[in-house]
Amino acid sequence: MASSSPVQFLLDTVVDALQSQPEFSVIRVWKSDAYESSRVTVYPYIASVVYANDLEDASATGLSTANVEVVCQCIVESDPSGLGIAQERASMIAMLVKHALESYDLETLESNQDLYYTTNIIGMTVDGNTGTFNVNDNRIQLGVACTIYFATA
């Protein structure tokens, strides 16, 4: 089934990529209290989109870009010894998001055709992550930033 617009297609693809990780519980509507002890709750959203204008595109690629943020949160075990269990878990989560997005098979992904446009995703790269501030409260939350390169015709 086709997505309703180019931006929705991008988000649907990110959701599909993240769902490939069995540890992730992907949600499409933000819930600030969606902490789980056995899984990582991830919420992807499109932060911004820049459409390419061939006459004004300084990169000369002709590609549009979308900045995607993935908010990740989960409950971690207690750390009375101060070993940094939360930081280790946060680092693992960032790595899993990076792997899910960058290893997603875009070669077999079909173009999305909506009412107005045909959209092709060219690539997804993880730009970085904002870490968690470890206050030893058994909860972690971090964000992972990604850029999607795509073309619409």
Side-chain angles (χ1 to χ4, degrees), residues 91-109:
S91 300
M92 179 63 74
I93 292 168
M95 182 191 69
L96 290 172
V97 171
K98 180 175 174 54
H99 177 71
L101 294 176
E102 291 185 350
S103 67
Y104 189 77
D105 187 9
L106 295 173
E107 296 294 321
T108 60
L109 182 65

Side-chain angles (χ1 to χ4, degrees), residues 1 9 16 29-30 35 37-38 42-43 53 56 68 70 75 84 86 90-91 95 106 108-109 125-126 129-130 133 148:
M1 182 171 147
F9 175 58
D16 191 46
V29 177
W30 171 247
Y35 286 88
S37 59
S38 60
V42 294
Y43 169 67
N53 179 333
E56 298 176 4
V68 178
V70 182
I75 296 174
S91 300
M95 182 191 69
L106 295 173
T108 60
L109 182 65
T125 59
V126 172
N129 64 283
T130 55
F133 190 77
I148 300 177

